[in-house]
Amino acid sequence: MLPQKIDVALNIFAKPYQTSLSVLSLLKFCDAYIDRIHLQFEPSGSMFDTALPYAIADYLGERAVITQPEHWLKLEAADASRYDDLSYRMSVRYQHAFENTDKKYLFIMHNDVLIKGDVIGKMLGDIGDAFVIGQLGQCWNCPAAHAEVCADCGMGEQGCHPDRYQELQPDFEQLCSLYKAAGKRGIFVRPYLEQLHVNYSDGGWPLPECRVNEWAALVDVERTRPYVIPHGSIAPFGAFEQCGKICLDTSVAWFRGLHRLGLRAKNMDIAPYVTHWIGTGKMTSYKYLKAEANARQILQKHFPDYVKWCLEQDNKMFV
């Protein structure tokens, strides 16, 4: 029996070598599952780049669905009043892929990862009735991940964990107490407390750091599409939401909205399948250039056909 076909979506800000490596390493292990690859390019790049990130799009040919938004939302909250404007809505990360895929599942991936195994096959086999599977939670920023903070608030001795994220469901007052207790202990949390009442007055769960991390996640589009803008009222997967001085991260509002409908997500340890590098290309120049150089070396060693093609195209990737 032929494997189930899915589509893939990446949002691309700079990182030409990491972008190429992300896509090519995914195809190395998961090509049999993949039909179209949606590449959404931000209308800006990095000041440190000597090559443009479009080479991989040309290399993919007809398999690539290429979009470049008219609006650049950067890391700012999306304006929900403008979702009826198609060009604005399509500027939200991954949104073009979500609205245009004809597949049941969409694999979301960062453009700074290395795929090391059949991550899509594993996710397809394990997703079951969950609406999304991937690494759940930015627990390193969450007060509930600390057992001592939960104990301070009378919420058990264990602390929260992605595998049992449904067990600790604070109401609004309990959520506030978690953030206050973390502050008293000097534990870092993001500064959501002063505005939690705007976003969470109707319930404290899922928590502000609860989401699926989009560097590698499989979404059941068929199941979620009816509830999400433009068909429903839930925020798009890629939309940031303001909460005080900063934004709740990618997919947080989407994740919360779908859970409040009774849907559930599934945690998966992606470490055996995915390595995720960090380097924004905006301020962290050292990390960015190091990650780009590393990706270039891996491409030269493990993907010589791509290197040869780039040289033949004279696209400045491997001069």
Side-chain angles (χ1 to χ4, degrees):
M1 186 173 67
L2 294 174
Q4 182 172 4
K5 290 289 186 179
I6 69 165
D7 283 348
V8 176
L10 291 83
N11 186 80
I12 299 166
F13 175 84
K15 305 180 183 179
Y17 297 101
Q18 293 175 81
T19 300
S20 296
L21 182 58
S22 298
V23 173
L24 293 173
S25 62
L26 179 70
L27 291 174
K28 177 180 179 180
F29 292 102
C30 305
D31 193 15
Y33 303 100
I34 297 169
D35 184 15
R36 311 299 297 279
I37 300 178
H38 296 254
L39 304 173
Q40 183 168 323
F41 289 90
E42 297 280 13
S44 182
S46 167
M47 68 183 77
F48 307 112
D49 286 329
T50 57
L52 295 173
Y54 304 110
I56 190 63
D58 293 335
Y59 185 75
L60 291 172
E62 293 183 356
R63 294 186 76 175
V65 180
I66 304 166
T67 59
Q68 188 155 13
E70 293 184 31
H71 308 274
W72 191 22
L73 304 186
K74 303 180 184 180
L75 299 178
E76 300 168 0
D79 183 351
S81 70
R82 299 181 65 183
Y83 282 146
D84 287 339
D85 178 345
L86 182 63
S87 67
Y88 182 85
R89 193 172 73 244
M90 288 299 168
S91 299
V92 175
R93 295 179 179 188
Y94 313 110
Q95 190 62 17
H96 188 275
F98 270 103
E99 292 195 31
N100 288 280
T101 182
D102 59 355
K103 307 300 188 298
K104 176 175 173 59
Y105 294 108
L106 182 68
F107 182 71
I108 306 295
M109 184 174 72
H110 260 201
N111 69 320
D112 54 3
V113 299
L114 172 67
I115 304 299
K116 304 177 292 187
D118 184 8
V119 62
I120 291 178
K122 174 66 172 173
M123 287 181 169
L124 285 170
D126 288 358
I127 190 170
D129 63 356
F131 72 89
V132 67
I133 184 171
Q135 181 182 336
L136 300 187
Q138 297 189 111
C139 304
W140 51 92
N141 291 326
C142 185
H146 299 271
E148 64 273 27
V149 173
C150 290
D152 289 346
C153 301
M155 300 183 67
E157 305 293 327
Q158 219 175 4
C160 190
H161 185 275
D163 285 333
R164 41 185 167 75
Y165 78 101
Q166 299 180 45
E167 296 177 11
L168 193 147
Q169 298 192 20
D171 58 26
F172 173 68
E173 287 75 18
Q174 290 172 320
L175 177 62
C176 291
S177 71
L178 285 169
Y179 274 82
K180 291 175 182 176
K184 290 179 180 178
R185 284 185 172 269
I187 294 172
F188 172 80
V189 291
R190 292 200 270 198
Y192 296 136
L193 182 59
E194 64 186 63
Q195 289 294 319
L196 281 178
H197 66 279
V198 176
N199 304 73
Y200 288 87
S201 59
D202 58 345
W205 185 87
L207 285 77
E209 302 293 356
C210 283
R211 68 165 192 165
V212 65
N213 294 297
E214 82 274 19
W215 42 80
L218 187 71
V219 178
D220 188 334
V221 178
E222 184 178 274
R223 190 174 184 195
T224 58
R225 180 177 275 157
Y227 308 115
V228 179
I229 289 168
H231 305 285
S233 59
I234 292 173
F237 179 98
F240 291 97
E241 183 180 67
Q242 197 72 35
C243 187
K245 297 177 182 178
I246 63 173
C247 289
L248 298 168
D249 219 324
T250 309
S251 87
V252 169
W254 174 86
F255 190 86
R256 183 173 75 246
L258 290 168
H259 272 85
R260 291 185 177 181
L261 293 176
L263 280 66
R264 291 295 179 264
K266 186 164 187 178
N267 183 54
M268 173 180 156
D269 179 11
I270 64 171
Y273 301 92
V274 180
T275 294
H276 179 227
W277 288 297
I278 298 175
T280 65
K282 294 173 69 177
M283 293 176 289
T284 55
S285 59
Y286 173 76
K287 289 183 179 180
Y288 178 79
L289 292 172
K290 183 178 179 180
E292 280 288 271
N294 184 47
R296 177 177 172 142
Q297 290 177 359
I298 296 173
L299 288 167
Q300 289 174 313
K301 182 176 181 179
H302 295 286
F303 298 95
D305 290 345
Y306 178 65
V307 175
K308 180 182 177 183
W309 179 86
C310 286
L311 290 170
E312 291 171 349
Q313 301 298 310
D314 192 26
N315 57 22
K316 311 303 181 186
M317 285 287 287
F318 296 95
V319 294

